[in-house]
């Protein structure tokens, strides 16, 4: 079965969360390529340089140095932001402000609570 997406980028500073999310993505054959960046700044550099051209991004909110929302602010200034990349905020946050801010951000397709599940991926692919 062909993966529905060519390239998926996962941005999460937590190694365990990244490991689990990557395994779910791989086992679901979600994308041909799964790229993991442990910091939003690394992700921005990869996007700026063109070394990564994702169809989908899974983005954590709470990370040191640069949050997911700060990443989105930087992302908005990139040419690649106009290419219709689907960005899913993937977070364990229960803060209603984080959820509301995700829903209000034009770059966010959906807020998904961690851990990522096969069911959530199936819903994305529908």
């Amino acid at each position: 079965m062909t993966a529905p997406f060519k390239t998926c980028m996962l941005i999460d500073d937590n190694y365990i969360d990244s490991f689990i999310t990557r395994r779910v993505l791989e086992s679901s054959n979600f994308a041909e390529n799964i790229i993991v960046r442990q910091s939003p700044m690394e992700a921005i550099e990869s996007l700026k340089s063109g070394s990564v051209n994702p169809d989908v991004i899974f983005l954590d909110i709470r990370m040191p140095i640069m949050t997911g929302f700060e990443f989105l602010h930087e992302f908005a200034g990139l040419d690649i932001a106009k290419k219709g990349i689907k960005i899913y905020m993937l977070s364990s946050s229960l803060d209603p402000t984080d959820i509301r801010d995700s829903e209000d951000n034009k770059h966010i397709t959906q807020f998904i609570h961690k851990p990522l599940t096969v069911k959530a991926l199936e819903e994305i692919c529908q």
Side-chain angles (χ1 to χ4, degrees):
M1 180 175 176
T2 306
F5 297 99
K6 181 166 176 50
T7 304
C8 173
M9 178 184 270
L10 169 61
I11 307 168
D12 196 326
D13 66 309
N14 184 298
Y15 175 79
I16 300 295
D17 287 348
S18 293
F19 178 80
I20 291 168
T21 301
R22 183 183 187 120
R23 295 294 299 212
V24 171
L25 290 166
E26 289 172 345
S27 68
S28 299
N29 194 33
F30 184 75
E32 292 175 27
N33 305 301
I34 300 167
I35 310 296
V36 179
R37 295 292 182 258
Q38 291 192 308
S39 85
M41 291 169 28
E42 283 179 59
I44 290 291
E45 287 307 313
S46 296
L47 295 169
K48 273 185 189 177
S49 71
S51 64
V52 178
N53 290 301
D55 306 298
V56 176
I57 296 174
F58 288 98
L59 175 65
D60 189 21
I61 294 177
R62 304 209 188 276
M63 295 178 279
I65 303 171
M66 179 185 278
T67 69
F69 291 113
E70 291 167 334
F71 166 87
L72 290 167
H73 179 74
E74 292 290 321
F75 175 83
L78 302 177
D79 288 339
I80 198 167
K82 299 174 185 117
K83 292 190 177 184
I85 298 169
K86 293 183 179 205
I87 301 177
Y88 295 90
M89 192 64 86
L90 181 62
S91 179
S92 56
S93 175
L94 299 175
D95 184 341
T97 303
D98 287 340
I99 296 167
R100 185 181 61 249
D101 289 349
S102 294
E103 291 170 351
D104 292 344
N105 189 295
K106 70 178 184 176
H107 296 290
I108 299 290
T109 302
Q110 181 182 350
F111 184 97
I112 300 173
H113 287 282
K114 285 182 181 176
L116 184 63
T117 63
V118 173
K119 183 179 181 198
L121 290 177
E122 288 171 352
E123 290 173 6
I124 289 170
C125 293
Q126 290 179 352

